[in-house]
Coordinates of all heavy atoms in Angstrom, one line a residue:
R100 N -5.0 -33.1 -8.4 CA -5.8 -32.0 -8.0 C -5.7 -30.8 -9.0 O -4.6 -30.6 -9.5 CB -5.5 -31.6 -6.6 CG -5.5 -32.7 -5.6 CD -6.7 -32.7 -4.8 NE -6.8 -33.8 -4.0 CZ -7.6 -34.1 -3.1 NH1 -8.6 -33.2 -2.9 NH2 -7.6 -35.1 -2.3
T101 N -6.7 -30.0 -9.1 CA -6.7 -28.9 -10.0 C -6.3 -27.6 -9.3 O -6.3 -27.5 -8.1 CB -8.0 -28.7 -10.7 OG1 -9.0 -28.3 -9.6 CG2 -8.5 -30.0 -11.4
W102 N -6.0 -26.6 -10.1 CA -5.7 -25.3 -9.5 C -6.9 -24.8 -8.7 O -6.7 -24.3 -7.6 CB -5.4 -24.3 -10.6 CG -5.2 -22.9 -10.1 CD1 -4.0 -22.3 -9.6 CD2 -6.2 -21.9 -10.0 NE1 -4.2 -21.1 -9.2 CE2 -5.5 -20.7 -9.4 CE3 -7.5 -21.8 -10.3 CZ2 -6.2 -19.6 -9.2 CZ3 -8.2 -20.6 -10.0 CH2 -7.6 -19.5 -9.5
E103 N -8.1 -25.0 -9.2 CA -9.3 -24.6 -8.5 C -9.4 -25.2 -7.1 O -9.7 -24.6 -6.1 CB -10.5 -24.9 -9.3 CG -10.8 -24.0 -10.5 CD -9.9 -24.3 -11.7 OE1 -9.2 -25.4 -11.7 OE2 -9.8 -23.5 -12.6
W104 N -9.1 -26.5 -7.0 CA -9.1 -27.2 -5.8 C -8.0 -26.7 -4.8 O -8.2 -26.4 -3.7 CB -8.9 -28.7 -6.0 CG -8.9 -29.5 -4.7 CD1 -7.7 -29.9 -4.1 CD2 -9.9 -29.8 -3.8 NE1 -8.0 -30.6 -2.9 CE2 -9.4 -30.5 -2.7 CE3 -11.3 -29.6 -3.9 CZ2 -10.2 -31.0 -1.7 CZ3 -12.1 -30.1 -2.9 CH2 -11.5 -30.8 -1.8
N105 N -6.8 -26.6 -5.3 CA -5.7 -26.2 -4.5 C -5.7 -24.7 -4.0 O -5.2 -24.4 -3.0 CB -4.3 -26.5 -5.2 CG -4.1 -28.0 -5.3 OD1 -4.4 -28.7 -4.5 ND2 -3.5 -28.4 -6.5
Y106 N -6.2 -23.8 -4.9 CA -6.1 -22.4 -4.6 C -7.4 -21.7 -4.4 O -7.7 -21.1 -3.5 CB -5.2 -21.7 -5.6 CG -3.8 -22.1 -5.5 CD1 -3.3 -23.0 -6.5 CD2 -2.9 -21.7 -4.5 CE1 -1.9 -23.4 -6.5 CE2 -1.6 -22.1 -4.5 CZ -1.1 -23.0 -5.4 OH 0.2 -23.4 -5.4
A107 N -8.3 -21.9 -5.4 CA -9.5 -21.2 -5.5 C -10.5 -21.6 -4.4 O -11.3 -20.8 -3.9 CB -10.2 -21.3 -6.8
E108 N -10.4 -22.9 -4.0 CA -11.3 -23.4 -3.0 C -10.7 -23.5 -1.6 O -11.3 -23.9 -0.6 CB -11.9 -24.8 -3.4 CG -12.6 -24.8 -4.7 CD -13.9 -23.9 -4.6 OE1 -14.6 -23.9 -3.5 OE2 -14.2 -23.3 -5.6
S109 N -9.4 -23.1 -1.5 CA -8.7 -23.2 -0.2 C -9.0 -22.0 0.6 O -9.4 -20.9 0.1 CB -7.2 -23.4 -0.4 OG -6.7 -22.2 -1.0
P110 N -8.8 -22.1 1.9 CA -8.9 -20.9 2.8 C -7.8 -19.8 2.4 O -6.8 -20.2 1.8 CB -8.6 -21.4 4.2 CG -8.6 -22.9 4.1 CD -8.4 -23.3 2.7
P111 N -8.0 -18.6 2.8 CA -7.0 -17.6 2.5 C -5.7 -18.0 3.1 O -5.6 -18.7 4.1 CB -7.5 -16.3 3.2 CG -9.0 -16.6 3.4 CD -9.2 -18.0 3.5
F112 N -4.6 -17.6 2.4 CA -3.2 -17.9 2.9 C -2.3 -16.8 2.5 O -2.6 -16.0 1.6 CB -2.8 -19.3 2.3 CG -2.6 -19.3 0.8 CD1 -1.4 -19.1 0.2 CD2 -3.7 -19.7 0.0 CE1 -1.2 -19.1 -1.1 CE2 -3.5 -19.8 -1.3 CZ -2.3 -19.5 -1.9
T113 N -1.2 -16.8 3.1 CA -0.1 -15.8 2.9 C 1.2 -16.5 2.6 O 1.6 -17.5 3.2 CB 0.0 -14.9 4.1 OG1 -1.2 -14.3 4.4 CG2 1.1 -13.8 3.9
V114 N 1.9 -15.9 1.6 CA 3.2 -16.4 1.2 C 4.2 -15.3 1.5 O 4.0 -14.2 1.2 CB 3.3 -16.7 -0.3 CG1 4.7 -17.1 -0.8 CG2 2.3 -17.8 -0.7
E115 N 5.2 -15.7 2.3 CA 6.2 -14.7 2.7 C 7.6 -15.2 2.2 O 8.0 -16.3 2.5 CB 6.3 -14.5 4.2 CG 5.0 -13.9 4.7 CD 5.0 -13.6 6.2 OE1 6.0 -12.9 6.6 OE2 4.2 -14.1 6.9
R116 N 8.3 -14.3 1.5 CA 9.6 -14.7 0.9 C 10.6 -13.5 1.0 O 10.1 -12.4 1.1 CB 9.5 -15.1 -0.5 CG 8.7 -16.4 -0.7 CD 9.2 -17.2 -1.8 NE 8.6 -18.5 -1.8 CZ 7.5 -18.9 -2.4 NH1 6.9 -18.0 -3.1 NH2 7.0 -20.1 -2.4
Q117 N 11.8 -13.8 1.0 CA 12.9 -12.8 0.9 C 13.8 -13.2 -0.3 O 14.0 -14.3 -0.6 CB 13.7 -12.8 2.2 CG 13.0 -12.2 3.3 CD 13.8 -12.1 4.6 OE1 14.2 -13.1 5.1 NE2 14.2 -10.9 5.0
G118 N 14.3 -12.1 -0.9 CA 15.3 -12.4 -2.0 C 15.9 -11.0 -2.4 O 15.7 -10.0 -1.7
F119 N 16.5 -11.1 -3.6 CA 17.2 -9.9 -4.1 C 16.5 -9.5 -5.4 O 16.3 -10.3 -6.3 CB 18.7 -10.1 -4.3 CG 19.4 -10.2 -3.0 CD1 19.5 -11.4 -2.3 CD2 19.9 -9.1 -2.4 CE1 20.2 -11.5 -1.1 CE2 20.6 -9.1 -1.2 CZ 20.7 -10.3 -0.5
V120 N 16.2 -8.2 -5.6 CA 15.7 -7.6 -6.8 C 16.6 -6.5 -7.2 O 16.8 -5.5 -6.3 CB 14.3 -7.2 -6.7 CG1 13.8 -6.5 -8.0 CG2 13.4 -8.4 -6.4
D121 N 17.2 -6.5 -8.3 CA 18.2 -5.4 -8.7 C 19.3 -5.2 -7.7 O 19.7 -4.1 -7.4 CB 17.4 -4.1 -8.9 CG 16.5 -4.1 -10.1 OD1 16.7 -4.9 -11.0 OD2 15.5 -3.4 -10.1
G122 N 19.7 -6.3 -7.1 CA 20.8 -6.3 -6.1 C 20.4 -5.7 -4.7 O 21.2 -5.6 -3.9
V123 N 19.1 -5.5 -4.5 CA 18.6 -5.0 -3.2 C 17.8 -6.1 -2.5 O 16.9 -6.7 -3.1 CB 17.7 -3.7 -3.4 CG1 17.1 -3.2 -2.1 CG2 18.5 -2.6 -4.1
E124 N 18.1 -6.3 -1.2 CA 17.3 -7.3 -0.5 C 15.9 -6.8 -0.3 O 15.6 -5.7 0.1 CB 17.9 -7.6 0.9 CG 17.3 -8.8 1.5 CD 18.0 -9.3 2.8 OE1 18.9 -8.5 3.3 OE2 17.7 -10.4 3.2
V125 N 14.9 -7.7 -0.6 CA 13.5 -7.4 -0.5 C 12.8 -8.5 0.2 O 13.1 -9.7 0.0 CB 12.9 -7.2 -1.9 CG1 11.4 -6.9 -1.9 CG2 13.6 -6.1 -2.6
S126 N 11.8 -8.1 1.0 CA 10.9 -9.1 1.6 C 9.5 -8.9 1.0 O 9.1 -7.7 0.7 CB 10.8 -9.1 3.1 OG 10.3 -7.8 3.5
V127 N 8.8 -10.0 0.7 CA 7.5 -9.9 0.1 C 6.5 -10.7 0.9 O 6.8 -11.8 1.3 CB 7.5 -10.4 -1.4 CG1 6.1 -10.4 -2.0 CG2 8.4 -9.5 -2.2
K128 N 5.3 -10.1 1.1 CA 4.2 -10.9 1.7 C 3.0 -10.8 0.8 O 2.5 -9.7 0.5 CB 3.8 -10.2 3.0 CG 2.8 -10.9 3.9 CD 2.7 -10.2 5.2 CE 1.7 -10.9 6.1 NZ 1.6 -10.2 7.4
V129 N 2.5 -11.9 0.2 CA 1.4 -12.0 -0.7 C 0.3 -12.7 0.0 O 0.4 -13.8 0.4 CB 1.8 -12.8 -2.0 CG1 0.7 -12.9 -3.0 CG2 3.1 -12.2 -2.7
T130 N -0.9 -12.0 0.0 CA -2.1 -12.6 0.6 C -3.0 -13.1 -0.6 O -3.2 -12.3 -1.5 CB -2.8 -11.6 1.5 OG1 -1.9 -11.2 2.5 CG2 -4.0 -12.2 2.1
V131 N -3.4 -14.3 -0.5 CA -4.3 -14.9 -1.6 C -5.6 -15.3 -1.0 O -5.6 -16.0 0.1 CB -3.6 -16.1 -2.2 CG1 -4.4 -16.8 -3.3 CG2 -2.2 -15.7 -2.8
E132 N -6.7 -14.9 -1.6 CA -8.0 -15.3 -1.2 C -8.8 -15.8 -2.4 O -8.8 -15.1 -3.4 CB -8.8 -14.2 -0.5 CG -8.2 -13.8 0.8 CD -9.0 -12.6 1.4 OE1 -10.2 -12.4 1.0 OE2 -8.5 -12.0 2.4
K133 N -9.4 -17.0 -2.3 CA -10.2 -17.5 -3.4 C -9.4 -17.6 -4.7 O -9.9 -17.5 -5.8 CB -11.5 -16.8 -3.6 CG -12.4 -16.8 -2.5 CD -13.7 -16.1 -2.7 CE -14.6 -16.3 -1.5 NZ -15.9 -15.6 -1.6
G134 N -8.1 -17.9 -4.5 CA -7.2 -18.1 -5.6 C -6.7 -16.8 -6.3 O -5.9 -16.9 -7.2
L135 N -7.1 -15.7 -5.8 CA -6.7 -14.4 -6.4 C -5.7 -13.6 -5.4 O -5.9 -13.7 -4.2 CB -7.9 -13.5 -6.7 CG -8.9 -14.1 -7.6 CD1 -10.1 -13.1 -7.7 CD2 -8.3 -14.4 -9.0
V136 N -4.8 -12.9 -5.9 CA -3.9 -12.1 -5.1 C -4.8 -11.0 -4.5 O -5.3 -10.2 -5.3 CB -2.7 -11.5 -5.9 CG1 -1.9 -10.6 -5.1 CG2 -1.8 -12.7 -6.4
K137 N -4.8 -10.9 -3.2 CA -5.6 -9.9 -2.5 C -4.8 -8.7 -2.2 O -5.2 -7.6 -2.3 CB -6.2 -10.6 -1.3 CG -7.0 -9.6 -0.4 CD -8.3 -9.3 -0.9 CE -9.1 -8.5 0.2 NZ -10.4 -8.1 -0.2
E138 N -3.6 -9.0 -1.7 CA -2.7 -7.9 -1.3 C -1.2 -8.3 -1.4 O -0.9 -9.5 -1.2 CB -3.0 -7.6 0.2 CG -2.2 -6.4 0.8 CD -2.7 -6.2 2.2 OE1 -2.8 -7.1 3.0 OE2 -2.8 -5.0 2.5
V139 N -0.4 -7.3 -1.7 CA 1.0 -7.5 -1.8 C 1.7 -6.4 -1.0 O 1.4 -5.3 -1.2 CB 1.6 -7.5 -3.2 CG1 3.1 -7.6 -3.3 CG2 0.9 -8.5 -4.1
K140 N 2.6 -6.8 0.0 CA 3.3 -5.9 0.8 C 4.8 -6.2 0.6 O 5.2 -7.3 0.6 CB 2.9 -5.9 2.2 CG 1.5 -5.4 2.5 CD 1.2 -5.4 4.0 CE -0.2 -4.8 4.2 NZ -0.4 -4.6 5.6
H141 N 5.6 -5.1 0.5 CA 7.0 -5.3 0.4 C 7.8 -4.6 1.5 O 7.3 -3.6 2.0 CB 7.5 -4.6 -1.0 CG 6.9 -5.3 -2.2 ND1 5.8 -4.8 -2.8 CD2 7.3 -6.4 -2.8 CE1 5.5 -5.6 -3.8 NE2 6.4 -6.5 -3.9
G142 N 8.9 -5.2 1.8 CA 9.8 -4.6 2.7 C 11.1 -4.4 1.9 O 11.4 -5.2 1.1
G143 N 11.8 -3.3 2.2 CA 13.0 -3.1 1.4 C 12.8 -1.8 0.6 O 11.8 -1.2 0.6
T144 N 13.8 -1.4 -0.2 CA 13.8 -0.1 -0.8 C 13.8 -0.2 -2.3 O 14.1 0.8 -3.0 CB 15.0 0.7 -0.4 OG1 16.2 0.0 -0.7 CG2 15.0 1.0 1.1
S145 N 13.5 -1.4 -2.9 CA 13.6 -1.5 -4.3 C 12.4 -0.8 -5.0 O 11.2 -1.1 -4.7 CB 13.5 -3.0 -4.7 OG 13.4 -3.1 -6.1
F146 N 12.7 0.2 -5.8 CA 11.6 0.9 -6.5 C 10.8 -0.1 -7.4 O 9.6 0.1 -7.5 CB 12.3 2.0 -7.4 CG 11.3 2.7 -8.3 CD1 10.4 3.5 -7.7 CD2 11.2 2.5 -9.6 CE1 9.4 4.2 -8.5 CE2 10.3 3.1 -10.4 CZ 9.4 4.0 -9.8
A147 N 11.4 -1.1 -7.9 CA 10.7 -2.0 -8.8 C 9.6 -2.7 -8.0 O 8.5 -2.8 -8.5 CB 11.7 -3.0 -9.4
T148 N 9.9 -3.2 -6.8 CA 8.9 -3.9 -6.1 C 7.8 -3.0 -5.5 O 6.7 -3.4 -5.4 CB 9.5 -4.8 -4.9 OG1 10.3 -3.9 -4.1 CG2 10.4 -5.9 -5.5
Q149 N 8.2 -1.8 -5.2 CA 7.2 -0.9 -4.7 C 6.1 -0.6 -5.7 O 4.9 -0.4 -5.4 CB 7.8 0.4 -4.2 CG 8.6 0.3 -2.9 CD 9.4 1.5 -2.6 OE1 9.4 2.5 -3.3 NE2 10.1 1.5 -1.5
R150 N 6.5 -0.5 -7.0 CA 5.6 -0.3 -8.1 C 4.6 -1.4 -8.3 O 3.6 -1.3 -8.9 CB 6.3 0.0 -9.4 CG 6.9 1.4 -9.5 CD 7.4 1.7 -10.8 NE 6.4 1.4 -11.9 CZ 6.8 1.2 -13.2 NH1 8.0 1.2 -13.5 NH2 5.8 1.0 -14.1
L151 N 5.0 -2.6 -7.8 CA 4.2 -3.8 -8.1 C 3.1 -4.1 -7.1 O 2.4 -5.0 -7.2 CB 5.1 -5.0 -8.1 CG 6.0 -5.1 -9.3 CD1 7.1 -6.2 -9.2 CD2 5.2 -5.2 -10.6
E152 N 3.0 -3.3 -6.0 CA 2.0 -3.6 -5.0 C 0.6 -3.7 -5.5 O -0.2 -4.4 -5.0 CB 2.1 -2.6 -3.9 CG 3.4 -2.8 -3.1 CD 3.4 -2.3 -1.7 OE1 2.4 -1.6 -1.3 OE2 4.4 -2.5 -1.0
H153 N 0.3 -2.9 -6.6 CA -1.1 -3.0 -7.2 C -1.1 -3.7 -8.5 O -2.2 -4.0 -9.0 CB -1.6 -1.6 -7.3 CG -1.7 -0.9 -5.9 ND1 -2.6 -1.3 -5.0 CD2 -1.0 0.0 -5.4 CE1 -2.5 -0.6 -3.9 NE2 -1.5 0.2 -4.1
V154 N 0.0 -4.0 -9.1 CA 0.0 -4.7 -10.4 C -0.6 -6.1 -10.3 O -1.3 -6.6 -11.2 CB 1.5 -4.8 -11.0 CG1 1.5 -5.7 -12.1 CG2 1.9 -3.4 -11.4
L155 N -0.4 -6.7 -9.2 CA -0.9 -8.1 -9.0 C -2.2 -8.2 -8.3 O -2.7 -9.3 -8.1 CB 0.2 -8.9 -8.2 CG 1.6 -9.0 -8.9 CD1 2.5 -9.7 -7.9 CD2 1.5 -9.7 -10.2
D156 N -2.9 -7.1 -8.0 CA -4.2 -7.1 -7.4 C -5.2 -7.9 -8.3 O -5.3 -7.7 -9.5 CB -4.8 -5.7 -7.3 CG -4.2 -5.0 -6.1 OD1 -3.4 -5.6 -5.3 OD2 -4.5 -3.8 -5.9
H157 N -5.8 -8.9 -7.7 CA -6.9 -9.7 -8.3 C -6.4 -10.6 -9.4 O -7.2 -11.1 -10.2 CB -8.0 -8.9 -8.7 CG -8.6 -8.0 -7.6 ND1 -9.2 -8.6 -6.5 CD2 -8.6 -6.7 -7.4 CE1 -9.6 -7.6 -5.7 NE2 -9.2 -6.5 -6.2
V158 N -5.1 -10.8 -9.5 CA -4.5 -11.7 -10.5 C -4.6 -13.2 -9.9 O -4.2 -13.4 -8.8 CB -3.0 -11.4 -10.8 CG1 -2.3 -12.4 -11.7 CG2 -3.0 -10.0 -11.5
P159 N -5.0 -14.1 -10.7 CA -5.0 -15.5 -10.2 C -3.6 -15.9 -9.8 O -2.6 -15.6 -10.4 CB -5.5 -16.3 -11.4 CG -6.3 -15.4 -12.2 CD -5.6 -14.1 -12.1
Y160 N -3.5 -16.6 -8.6 CA -2.2 -17.1 -8.1 C -1.8 -18.3 -8.9 O -1.8 -19.4 -8.4 CB -2.3 -17.3 -6.6 CG -1.0 -17.5 -5.9 CD1 -0.1 -16.4 -5.8 CD2 -0.6 -18.7 -5.5 CE1 1.1 -16.6 -5.2 CE2 0.6 -18.9 -4.9 CZ 1.5 -17.8 -4.7 OH 2.7 -18.0 -4.2
R161 N -1.4 -18.1 -10.1 CA -0.9 -19.1 -11.0 C 0.4 -18.6 -11.7 O 0.4 -17.4 -12.0 CB -1.9 -19.5 -12.1 CG -3.0 -20.3 -11.7 CD -3.8 -20.8 -12.9 NE -4.7 -19.7 -13.3 CZ -6.0 -19.9 -13.6 NH1 -6.6 -21.0 -13.5 NH2 -6.7 -18.8 -14.0
L162 N 1.3 -19.4 -11.9 CA 2.6 -18.9 -12.4 C 2.4 -18.2 -13.7 O 3.0 -17.1 -13.9 CB 3.6 -20.1 -12.6 CG 5.0 -19.8 -13.0 CD1 5.7 -18.9 -12.0 CD2 5.8 -21.1 -13.2
G163 N 1.7 -18.7 -14.6 CA 1.5 -18.0 -15.9 C 0.8 -16.7 -15.8 O 1.2 -15.7 -16.5
D164 N -0.2 -16.6 -14.9 CA -0.9 -15.3 -14.8 C -0.1 -14.3 -14.1 O -0.1 -13.1 -14.4 CB -2.2 -15.6 -14.0 CG -3.2 -16.4 -14.7 OD1 -3.5 -16.0 -15.9 OD2 -3.7 -17.4 -14.2
L165 N 0.7 -14.7 -13.1 CA 1.6 -13.8 -12.4 C 2.7 -13.3 -13.4 O 3.0 -12.1 -13.5 CB 2.3 -14.5 -11.2 CG 1.4 -14.8 -10.1 CD1 2.2 -15.6 -9.0 CD2 0.8 -13.6 -9.4
R166 N 3.2 -14.2 -14.2 CA 4.2 -13.8 -15.2 C 3.7 -12.8 -16.2 O 4.3 -11.8 -16.5 CB 4.7 -15.1 -16.0 CG 5.8 -14.7 -17.0 CD 6.3 -15.9 -17.8 NE 7.2 -16.7 -17.0 CZ 7.0 -17.9 -16.6 NH1 6.0 -18.6 -17.0 NH2 7.9 -18.5 -15.8
A167 N 2.5 -13.0 -16.7 CA 1.8 -12.1 -17.6 C 1.6 -10.7 -17.0 O 1.9 -9.7 -17.7 CB 0.5 -12.7 -18.1
A168 N 1.2 -10.7 -15.8 CA 1.0 -9.4 -15.1 C 2.3 -8.7 -14.9 O 2.3 -7.5 -15.1 CB 0.3 -9.6 -13.7
L169 N 3.3 -9.4 -14.5 CA 4.6 -8.8 -14.3 C 5.2 -8.3 -15.7 O 5.8 -7.2 -15.7 CB 5.6 -9.7 -13.6 CG 5.2 -10.1 -12.2 CD1 6.1 -11.2 -11.7 CD2 5.3 -8.9 -11.3
Q170 N 5.0 -9.1 -16.7 CA 5.6 -8.7 -18.0 C 4.8 -7.4 -18.5 O 5.4 -6.6 -19.2 CB 5.4 -9.8 -19.0 CG 6.4 -10.9 -18.8 CD 6.2 -12.1 -19.7 OE1 5.1 -12.4 -20.1 NE2 7.3 -12.9 -19.9
G171 N 3.6 -7.3 -18.2 CA 2.8 -6.1 -18.6 C 3.0 -4.9 -17.7 O 2.4 -3.8 -18.0
S172 N 3.8 -5.0 -16.7 CA 4.0 -3.9 -15.8 C 4.9 -2.8 -16.3 O 5.0 -1.7 -15.8 CB 4.6 -4.4 -14.4 OG 5.9 -4.9 -14.6
G173 N 5.7 -3.1 -17.3 CA 6.6 -2.2 -17.9 C 7.9 -2.0 -17.1 O 8.8 -1.2 -17.4
L174 N 8.2 -2.9 -16.1 CA 9.4 -2.8 -15.4 C 10.5 -3.5 -16.2 O 10.3 -4.4 -16.9 CB 9.3 -3.5 -14.0 CG 8.3 -2.9 -13.0 CD1 8.2 -3.8 -11.8 CD2 8.9 -1.5 -12.6
R175 N 11.7 -3.0 -15.9 CA 12.9 -3.6 -16.6 C 13.6 -4.6 -15.8 O 14.5 -5.3 -16.2 CB 13.9 -2.5 -16.9 CG 13.4 -1.5 -17.9 CD 14.4 -0.4 -18.3 NE 13.8 0.5 -19.2 CZ 14.4 1.6 -19.6 NH1 15.6 1.9 -19.2 NH2 13.8 2.4 -20.5
T176 N 13.1 -4.9 -14.6 CA 13.7 -5.9 -13.7 C 13.4 -7.3 -14.3 O 12.3 -7.5 -14.8 CB 13.0 -5.8 -12.3 OG1 13.2 -4.5 -11.8 CG2 13.6 -6.9 -11.4
P177 N 14.4 -8.2 -14.3 CA 14.1 -9.5 -14.9 C 13.0 -10.2 -14.2 O 12.9 -10.2 -13.0 CB 15.4 -10.2 -14.6 CG 16.5 -9.2 -14.5 CD 15.8 -8.0 -13.9
I178 N 12.0 -10.7 -15.0 CA 10.8 -11.3 -14.5 C 11.1 -12.5 -13.6 O 10.5 -12.7 -12.6 CB 9.9 -11.7 -15.7 CG1 9.5 -10.5 -16.5 CG2 8.7 -12.5 -15.2 CD1 8.8 -9.4 -15.8
G179 N 12.2 -13.2 -13.9 CA 12.5 -14.4 -13.1 C 12.9 -14.0 -11.6 O 12.5 -14.7 -10.7
Q180 N 13.5 -12.9 -11.4 CA 13.8 -12.4 -10.1 C 12.5 -12.2 -9.3 O 12.4 -12.5 -8.1 CB 14.6 -11.1 -10.1 CG 16.1 -11.3 -10.5 CD 16.8 -9.9 -10.5 OE1 16.3 -8.9 -9.9 NE2 18.0 -9.9 -11.1
L181 N 11.6 -11.6 -9.9 CA 10.3 -11.2 -9.3 C 9.5 -12.5 -9.0 O 8.9 -12.6 -7.9 CB 9.5 -10.2 -10.1 CG 10.2 -8.9 -10.3 CD1 9.5 -8.1 -11.4 CD2 10.3 -8.1 -9.0
L182 N 9.4 -13.4 -10.0 CA 8.6 -14.6 -9.8 C 9.1 -15.4 -8.6 O 8.2 -16.0 -7.9 CB 8.6 -15.4 -11.1 CG 7.7 -14.9 -12.2 CD1 7.8 -15.7 -13.5 CD2 6.2 -14.9 -11.8
R183 N 10.4 -15.5 -8.4 CA 10.9 -16.2 -7.3 C 10.4 -15.7 -5.9 O 10.3 -16.4 -5.0 CB 12.4 -16.3 -7.3 CG 13.0 -17.3 -8.3 CD 14.4 -17.5 -8.1 NE 15.3 -16.4 -8.5 CZ 15.6 -16.1 -9.7 NH1 15.3 -16.9 -10.7 NH2 16.4 -15.0 -10.0
L184 N 10.1 -14.4 -5.9 CA 9.5 -13.8 -4.7 C 8.0 -14.0 -4.5 O 7.6 -14.2 -3.4 CB 9.8 -12.3 -4.7 CG 11.2 -11.8 -4.5 CD1 11.3 -10.3 -4.7 CD2 11.7 -12.2 -3.1
Y185 N 7.3 -14.1 -5.6 CA 5.9 -14.1 -5.5 C 5.3 -15.5 -5.6 O 4.1 -15.7 -5.2 CB 5.2 -13.3 -6.6 CG 5.6 -11.8 -6.5 CD1 6.3 -11.2 -7.5 CD2 5.2 -11.1 -5.4 CE1 6.7 -9.9 -7.4 CE2 5.5 -9.8 -5.3 CZ 6.3 -9.2 -6.3 OH 6.6 -7.8 -6.2
Y186 N 6.0 -16.5 -6.1 CA 5.4 -17.8 -6.3 C 6.3 -18.9 -5.8 O 7.4 -19.0 -6.1 CB 5.1 -18.0 -7.8 CG 4.2 -19.2 -8.1 CD1 2.9 -19.1 -7.9 CD2 4.7 -20.4 -8.6 CE1 2.0 -20.2 -8.2 CE2 3.9 -21.4 -8.9 CZ 2.6 -21.3 -8.7 OH 1.7 -22.4 -8.9

């Protein structure tokens, strides 16, 4: 199956995860519609994740696209820590 079949043509869905970013526990809720990130909500006090609530808007829910958006965000937080929360 292709990405288009698995994500772009699927009903809206939400991914919820918890983890640590910069040593702070964070919870993340990512809503995906038609294969694109529709909304990101964070729980926790990490400044890094609060800045990302709009960085991922309308980004395709694919690992490479999420990585590119995060790398372009200008944050110093290791991208791997963030990707584990979002994907």
